[in-house]
Amino acid sequence: MIRAAIATILSTTLFAGALAFSAPAMAEAPAFGLPVECRVGETCFIQNYVDEDSGPGWRDHACGRLSYDGHDGTDFRLPDYTAMDKGVAVLAAAAGTVLRVRDGMEDVNVNVIGRDTVMKVGGGNAVIIDHGDGWQTAYLHMKRGSVAVTPGQRVEAGQRLGEVGLSGLTEFPHLHFGVRHNGAVVDPFVGQQPFTACGQPMKPLWNPATATALAYRPTAGLGVGFATSRIPEAEPARHGEFAGETLTRDSPMLVLWSDIMGVRDGDTQRVRIVDGDGRTLFDNSKGITGDKAAWFAYQGLKRPASGWPKGPYQGIVTLTRDGKTVVTLERRLEVR
């Protein structure tokens, strides 16, 4: 997980020097719209919020764990690389003037190229917009070659700025959306008043429709699938390498993988595989230790000596918390 000092680099270097004026301390904030063209909770998810803990720990505005130490924006993640490749638009959250842009950086997981390679340009391909009265927004980690605006250009709310990418200091495709007023970080879920305690009244900066769409979701299922020829790993699965899996009588395995964000210590994951006659071939529950920003796991069977019985097969993954099901993922597998 990316740490505090790095989070500061992501936004500060892009915002720096942009405020050549003095704005009123209580200037009215813009009403921000959704900065990504997606269905939140279905085709995109908020992985991280602004860190509201002033100490070495972290907590989000709902006093949950969807943040990390020093994180200064809102991360709208895509479920996988396939969605990024298809193209998901980044949108101006409010009207304003483009201050700065950066493009040309490669879309690649930082764990592949190394953090030192991108540390000085951690925000990746980016757009910074000035909304007046000291308000600015940043749109980071955009896809290479997608930036569609230029410095000095006037943009309207909802106008396309580019696409969600994987550039800079990031481990998954997402848009880091940052808000600042007179250079200070503002959490759009809290508002201009400081965060002081769990449950305090909030004055979000989102417009009403966006605020409704952004209802807090601490946990979400990102993806699920079968693997029949090799053990699945997170990166290949997120690149769609198991999307076309089929099962033959002689396939060496029948493994169900899942990708879930916001897993909590004490959660239980249950994996079931059922054959075409409704018989349960596999049913196993596993307790999870420790909070997980993203939890990729797999369970399943080796080929029986007599070969696989007739299908199709149904895989079901459930995540339960305090006796309640919080995620259900299902996938059907046809037999070839």
Side-chain angles (χ1 to χ4, degrees):
M1 189 177 292
I2 302 171
R3 293 290 150 208
I6 298 174
T8 302
I9 292 172
L10 290 181
S11 295
T12 303
T13 54
L14 283 161
F15 277 114
L19 296 172
F21 52 84
S22 177
M26 294 304 291
E28 184 176 354
F32 294 120
L34 190 65
V36 186
E37 193 172 50
C38 64
R39 298 186 302 278
V40 181
E42 298 180 37
T43 60
C44 68
F45 307 86
I46 298 182
Q47 176 72 70
N48 295 304
Y49 296 88
V50 172
D51 175 21
E52 300 293 354
D53 189 322
S54 59
W58 65 88
R59 62 181 174 183
D60 57 43
H61 68 282
C63 288
R65 301 292 290 171
L66 292 182
S67 188
Y68 55 85
D69 191 17
H71 190 242
D72 61 1
T74 304
D75 289 345
F76 293 85
R77 79 169 292 164
L78 303 183
D80 51 36
Y81 296 97
T82 302
M84 181 188 77
D85 293 340
K86 290 179 179 177
V88 176
V90 173
L91 309 175
T97 301
V98 177
L99 283 176
R100 251 183 313 283
V101 304
R102 181 165 59 217
D103 202 346
M105 291 185 64
E106 184 180 4
D107 294 289
V108 59
N109 189 319
V110 69
N111 293 323
V112 174
I113 61 172
R115 297 181 186 277
D116 291 344
T117 304
V118 295
M119 184 67 76
K120 293 183 179 179
V121 282
N125 303 318
V127 173
I128 307 297
I129 296 178
D130 177 24
H131 304 284
D133 293 327
W135 290 97
Q136 295 178 4
T137 52
Y139 310 76
L140 312 183
H141 308 305
M142 293 169 67
K143 187 191 292 187
R144 181 169 64 177
S146 76
V147 174
V149 293
T150 56
Q153 179 179 343
R154 176 72 182 178
V155 295
E156 300 303 322
Q159 183 170 332
R160 184 181 181 277
L161 305 177
E163 294 183 2
V164 178
L166 189 69
S167 59
L169 200 60
T170 179
E171 300 173 2
F172 52 90
H174 76 281
L175 172 74
H176 175 105
F177 175 70
V179 178
R180 295 202 178 198
H181 184 235
N182 291 335
V185 174
V186 179
D187 184 346
F189 288 89
V190 175
Q192 291 181 258
Q193 76 278 16
F195 182 92
T196 57
C198 297
Q200 74 177 58
M202 309 283 185
K203 294 183 179 179
L205 305 185
W206 306 109
N207 64 42
T210 301
T212 298
L214 296 180
Y216 187 77
R217 297 174 177 86
T219 307
L222 303 175
V224 63
F226 279 103
T228 61
S229 60
R230 60 188 174 103
I231 295 297
E233 296 179 340
E235 286 296 290
R238 292 166 183 164
H239 277 282
E241 292 188 20
F242 299 97
E245 291 287 284
T246 58
L247 187 73
T248 68
R249 185 173 180 81
D250 296 325
S251 294
M253 66 182 67
L254 184 60
V255 170
L256 186 66
W257 60 264
S258 60
D259 202 5
I260 302 174
M261 59 155 276
V263 172
R264 298 276 187 86
D265 181 52
D267 287 353
T268 298
Q269 184 182 53
R270 182 184 180 189
V271 175
R272 289 178 290 156
I273 301 175
V274 180
D275 72 10
D277 292 326
R279 295 174 300 188
T280 298
L281 301 180
F282 183 86
D283 189 343
N284 187 58
S285 296
K286 180 179 181 180
I288 297 172
T289 302
D291 295 341
K292 316 290 184 184
W295 172 252
F296 183 90
Y298 60 87
Q299 297 185 54
L301 301 161
K302 293 181 179 179
R303 181 187 64 219
S306 58
W308 295 107
K310 67 178 183 179
Y313 293 83
Q314 184 75 11
I316 308 102
V317 177
T318 56
L319 187 78
T320 58
R321 177 176 302 151
D322 299 326
K324 298 180 180 179
T325 299
V326 292
V327 170
T328 300
L329 296 168
E330 299 185 13
R331 180 56 58 89
R332 184 181 175 91
L333 180 67
E334 300 295 335
V335 177
R336 186 173 62 192

